[in-house]
């Protein structure tokens, strides 16, 4: 799917989540006309109006532009976009954005990388694959999560450990065995680790819900509202 699809994902534009496309083959940064009202941005006349030509020699005039806030990881900026009738995405970043940030396009690995204020930012695309291999127009995102397996190599694991200063170990054990038999069969280092935290390891899980805490995490659903990432 990486070979036959354009780079697209979702980013934060102000208070809205928008479908986002990176295309270094585009000579302009583009925001779709339908996204103008959604993003609640102010449109202004273009300083240098021009025309965009298509393959069949037809053209469309570009006479408006607007300033749109975007967030990509630690990168936050206000970017000028040319207003253009576009259906492929809400916003598209092209050559001007590539040039300003010296963005590197890793074609086969299908990700973009750039450095902003000393921090390296990498953006991966949203996974998608065509339903019919004979047709490239039907592209749907992958919805199967069970087949997805995320494993860090040794270098990435060491880097994450240094940044987070926290490591959690998961030890599997069979339920019919006694705790003493299970620990005796484990390695000495894991045996010592389980012994240090024996006061928080229970042989049986409680049948009731955990007690109420001072902080309750909840998502308040508003009746009649729409998901922000829908077209």
């Amino acid at each position: 799917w990486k070979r036959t699809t354009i780079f697209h994902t979702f980013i934060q534009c102000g208070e809205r989540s928008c479908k986002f496309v990176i295309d270094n083959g585009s000579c302009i940064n583009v925001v779709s006309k339908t996204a103008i009202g959604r993003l609640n941005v102010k449109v202004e006349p273009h300083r240098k109006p021009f025309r965009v030509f298509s393959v069949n020699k037809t053209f469309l005039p570009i006479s408006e532009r607007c300033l749109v806030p975007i967030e990509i990881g630690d990168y936050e900026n206000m970017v000028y976009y040319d207003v253009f009738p576009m259906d492929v995405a809400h916003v598209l970043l092209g050559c001007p954005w590539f040039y300003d940030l010296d963005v590197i396009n890793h074609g086969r690995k299908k990700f973009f990388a750039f450095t902003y204020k000393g921090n390296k930012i990498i953006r991966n695309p949203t996974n998608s694959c065509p339903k019919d291999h004979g047709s490239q127009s039907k592209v749907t995102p992958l919805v199967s999560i069970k087949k997805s397996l995320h494993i860090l190599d040794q270098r990435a694991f060491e880097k994450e450990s240094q940044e987070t200063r926290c490591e959690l170990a998961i030890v599997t054990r069979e339920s019919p065995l006694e705790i003493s038999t299970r620990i005796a069969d484990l390695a000495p280092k894991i045996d010592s680790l389980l012994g240090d935290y024996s006061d928080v390891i229970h042989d049986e899980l409680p049948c009731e819900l955990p007690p109420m805490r001072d902080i309750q995490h909840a998502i308040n659903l508003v009746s009649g509202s729409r998901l922000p990432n829908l077209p």
Side-chain angles (χ1 to χ4, degrees), residues 31-43 66 68 83:
V31 60
S32 67
K33 286 187 175 182
T34 56
I36 297 298
R38 174 195 181 99
L39 299 176
N40 195 22
V41 293
K42 184 178 180 181
V43 178
C66 62
V68 179
V83 181

Side-chain angles (χ1 to χ4, degrees), residues 127 145 147-152:
N127 290 356
I145 302 178
K147 296 182 180 180
S148 179
L149 182 63
H150 303 279
I151 299 178
L152 294 179

Side-chain angles (χ1 to χ4, degrees), residues 32-191:
S32 67
K33 286 187 175 182
T34 56
I36 297 298
R38 174 195 181 99
L39 299 176
N40 195 22
V41 293
K42 184 178 180 181
V43 178
E44 61 184 57
H46 206 289
R47 293 183 178 181
K48 296 180 179 179
F50 60 96
R51 297 183 296 180
V52 175
F53 287 84
S54 61
V55 178
N56 58 0
K57 296 184 179 181
T58 60
F59 65 88
L60 291 173
I62 302 295
S63 58
E64 296 176 328
R65 69 173 186 171
C66 62
L67 200 59
V68 179
I70 63 172
E71 298 179 19
I72 306 176
D74 296 332
Y75 170 74
E76 297 181 7
N77 199 5
M78 301 288 290
V79 178
Y80 267 111
Y81 290 86
D82 297 324
V83 181
F84 191 78
M86 176 177 62
D87 296 330
V88 68
H90 297 113
V91 292
L92 181 148
L93 289 177
C95 288
W97 183 75
F98 269 78
Y99 183 87
D100 294 341
L101 291 176
D102 195 16
V103 180
I104 300 175
N105 176 14
H106 297 266
R108 178 161 293 184
K109 295 182 179 180
K110 199 73 174 183
F111 71 86
F112 292 87
F114 61 94
T115 302
Y116 180 73
K117 293 184 177 179
N119 298 324
K120 187 174 182 179
I121 299 175
I122 297 176
R123 194 68 183 183
N124 294 308
T126 299
N127 290 356
S128 61
C129 63
K131 290 183 179 179
D132 182 9
H133 294 285
S135 174
Q136 298 183 0
S137 60
K138 298 179 180 179
V139 178
T140 56
L142 292 176
V143 296
S144 177
I145 302 178
K146 296 181 180 180
K147 296 182 180 180
S148 179
L149 182 63
H150 303 279
I151 299 178
L152 294 179
D153 56 21
Q154 181 178 353
R155 182 178 298 179
F157 176 77
E158 292 175 353
K159 181 180 179 182
E160 289 289 336
S161 303
Q162 293 174 0
E163 292 178 354
T164 59
R165 301 290 182 182
C166 178
E167 298 177 12
L168 301 178
I170 299 178
V171 181
T172 60
R173 59 186 185 184
E174 298 180 5
S175 56
L177 300 179
E178 296 295 333
I179 183 65
S180 59
T181 305
R182 291 194 296 267
I183 293 181
D185 295 337
L186 297 176
K189 291 185 179 180
I190 299 180
D191 189 358

Side-chain angles (χ1 to χ4, degrees), residues 24-37:
N24 57 343
S26 173
C27 59
I28 58 176
N29 299 327
V30 183
V31 60
S32 67
K33 286 187 175 182
T34 56
I36 297 298

